[in-house]
Amino acid sequence: MLLTTFAARAAGFVYPFLSYRLDGLGLTSSAASVVLAAFGGGWLVGQVLSGWLADRIGRRTTLVGATLLAATAFPTLAHLHTPFALTAAAAVSGAVYDAPRPVVAAVVADVIPDEAGRAKANGWRHFATNAGAATTGAVGGALAGRTGIPLLFWANGAVCAVIAALVLLVLPRTAPTVGAERGQHREALTDLRLWLLWLASVLTLIPVGALFSALPLMMATDGLDAAAYGWTQVTSAVAVLALSPLLNPLLARRAARPASTTMLGPLALSGIVLGAGIGSAGLASTTLGYSAAAFLAVPGEIIAFIAAGDILNRISPPHARATYAGIWGTTLAAAIMCAPALAGWSLTHGGSELAALTTLSCSFLGTAVCLPLHRLLRHQRVQEARLT
């Protein structure tokens, strides 16, 4: 599963370079925005669908199906030209682009029984994601101007086909989780804890969304090309590779505590760090400045994913782990959809300074949402203690 996570992100050229592909087609800004929004909408729906299917029909079947569909959709997206066709292909591509995430999260929770072990695994999963991102930025940035972006999309599809074959051969077949076939996973829709965590995560991850979507728009405004954007991705990923071995053990030890509110403090802190880091990109105008902003946000990114993953594992019932993971997985897609809209509005009405302020404000709101979530989890823990 860690190898799948790394490979899917290492060859994940489609979304980071989709803006440049659309720019090369000469589409208007409004048409390009619709295509990008369709990709984000597909990403959001795909997370929920992938998680639901992983509980309903099994982990392996869902993962193989999603990666095979990606192997077809990504090359198709590389050769379309009309806005309508691009929008439809982008929606399908978005649905399968990050589909392995909730499946892998559920497998981690299935096979590792203790919270500290799960936190370590999720930390290394985030490490694998960013190691892949470093490869994406370095390889994609170097090849985009030489081979053309469509070839990158073909490479992304080919790697997905290889992943499907390996998963089919290696991952054991699993039956639907007990209870999922009776629809008990629907309790996720009424779990207030999950939705408070979802809201806090979306607001906290908007700066991360800005790194993938708003940042290339801001850099393009400053006359920086795809290669320059690739370096910001490399910088971010290298920082994760350097800091993860230091932060993962500390976070795992904290996750070993029995209280369900253990990781809410780190989650709240992560929003402040992310907002300050990515918010500083609004003051940058060079590749070095944008890379520094990406670097400064990395500690918050690491903490946010591990802390939210720990809370998610604690509140997810075994029969709906993938469903909960799929719903939570939409947070990054929602953040990526919100980030360019906020950046576009801010740049139009107040310039870089307003862009920095709105990003920082979102992360602080995410920190504030952690307070009612803390109260709810503590109240439920007290009620459970009384019952026992």
Side-chain angles (χ1 to χ4, degrees), residues 14-38:
V14 169
Y15 187 69
F17 292 95
L18 181 56
S19 297
Y20 294 100
R21 159 72 176 153
L22 299 176
D23 183 65
L25 294 174
L27 296 182
T28 64
S29 297
S30 59
S33 297
V34 170
V35 175
L36 292 172

Side-chain angles (χ1 to χ4, degrees), residues 338-351 354-355 357-358:
C338 293
L342 287 173
W345 180 86
S346 300
L347 291 170
T348 300
H349 292 88
L354 183 58
L357 181 61
T358 53

